[in-house]
Amino acid sequence: MARTNNYSLQAQQAKAHFTTYDQNRLIAKLGLHADETYLYPVLLSETYRIHREIGNICRKTEAGWVDANSFEEVMTLLDLVCDSREDRFLSGRWKNMTDFGLMFHRNLLENKVDPWAEKFQADPEGFRRACLALGGKPFSLGDIAYSIELFDGLSILVQLWFGEEEFPASLRLLWDENALMYIKYETMYFAKALLLQKIEALM
């Protein structure tokens, strides 16, 4: 319960932080569609709306707007909207997510058995379909790989390597070398979790 409450507290703090920004500047910085009530950013090929007064988030579906206040969505989207740099630009060079962090974080990302990799390897066609549904573009690294746009041109390269008898399946995420101009290192974890959740839901 304490952990859940802590997540909720962090999300509420992020929303409160959003309301302190000059939103006209955010609109100009990102070229966002907006009206008097909402900003309308796009995250993982889906349109969201952020309430300008309270930071509440919804996602557009065929059935209409639905609640999108999961911890991962709030933390990822508000970080990208609020704190991406105005002078951001892509380098065009990929960098492994493990190389952005300290050795402690690298160890967390390099578990010997990755349950996500095992899940995706068990249904490779489902994995392919899900990545394509998210606007993924096939890439020639790994057994299956797709470049999937996260936000404002910034993509994540998802590489699935099939396991063998001696080696388990592995999943690698690569970002543009200049990704930290768009997103904080800590927020990469939230974006990763959100992306994998969406892939799983679409499989």
Side-chain angles (χ1 to χ4, degrees):
M1 182 65 70
R3 184 177 183 184
T4 301
N5 289 341
N6 186 49
Y7 284 168
S8 178
L9 178 61
Q10 288 185 64
Q12 290 303 319
Q13 289 173 340
K15 291 178 183 180
H17 186 56
F18 162 76
T19 64
T20 67
Y21 278 77
D22 180 341
Q23 293 179 13
N24 290 326
R25 185 171 181 177
L26 297 180
I27 291 166
K29 177 181 73 170
L30 297 168
L32 294 178
H33 173 59
D35 56 31
E36 292 183 358
T37 309
Y38 299 103
L39 306 186
Y40 296 91
V42 175
L43 180 70
L44 288 170
S45 300
E46 296 185 286
T47 299
Y48 286 74
R49 69 181 188 189
I50 308 172
H51 196 286
R52 297 179 70 157
E53 291 186 3
I54 60 175
N56 192 63
I57 300 174
C58 292
R59 177 170 44 84
K60 190 174 184 179
T61 70
E62 292 182 358
W65 292 98
V66 298
D67 181 84
N69 289 284
S70 73
F71 178 75
E72 290 80 10
E73 284 172 309
V74 170
M75 301 302 291
T76 301
L77 186 56
L78 293 185
D79 182 24
L80 286 161
V81 167
C82 294
D83 295 327
S84 55
R85 287 169 41 174
E86 292 192 19
D87 63 346
R88 66 198 179 284
F89 67 95
L90 300 174
S91 71
R93 295 182 295 273
W94 294 106
K95 182 175 177 179
N96 197 315
M97 184 170 170
T98 59
D99 293 331
F100 284 93
L102 301 174
M103 183 59 67
F104 171 74
H105 296 114
R106 293 183 192 180
N107 291 338
L108 289 178
L109 287 167
E110 294 180 339
N111 294 327
K112 290 184 178 180
V113 176
D114 184 339
W116 286 106
E118 297 287 334
K119 182 186 297 287
F120 297 153
Q121 177 179 251
D123 185 8
E125 292 309 312
F127 178 70
R128 288 189 176 95
R129 288 194 304 270
C131 289
L132 289 171
L134 290 169
K137 298 178 181 178
F139 217 82
S140 59
L141 291 174
D143 291 303
I144 305 176
Y146 287 89
S147 171
I148 300 174
E149 184 174 352
L150 176 68
F151 181 88
D152 191 37
L154 177 67
S155 294
I156 304 174
L157 179 56
V158 184
Q159 295 178 311
L160 176 63
W161 299 81
F162 294 150
E164 300 175 352
E165 290 186 4
E166 297 182 5
F167 302 98
S170 65
L171 190 71
R172 299 177 188 172
L173 272 68
L174 286 77
W175 298 70
D176 187 88
E177 202 171 55
N178 288 345
L180 295 183
M181 290 185 170
Y182 294 75
I183 190 170
K184 296 186 186 75
Y185 171 65
E186 293 79 4
T187 312
M188 287 181 171
Y189 287 94
F190 308 140
K192 174 186 176 182
L194 179 61
L195 174 59
L196 297 182
Q197 291 166 14
K198 286 184 177 288
I199 291 173
E200 180 183 36
L202 288 166
M203 287 175 64

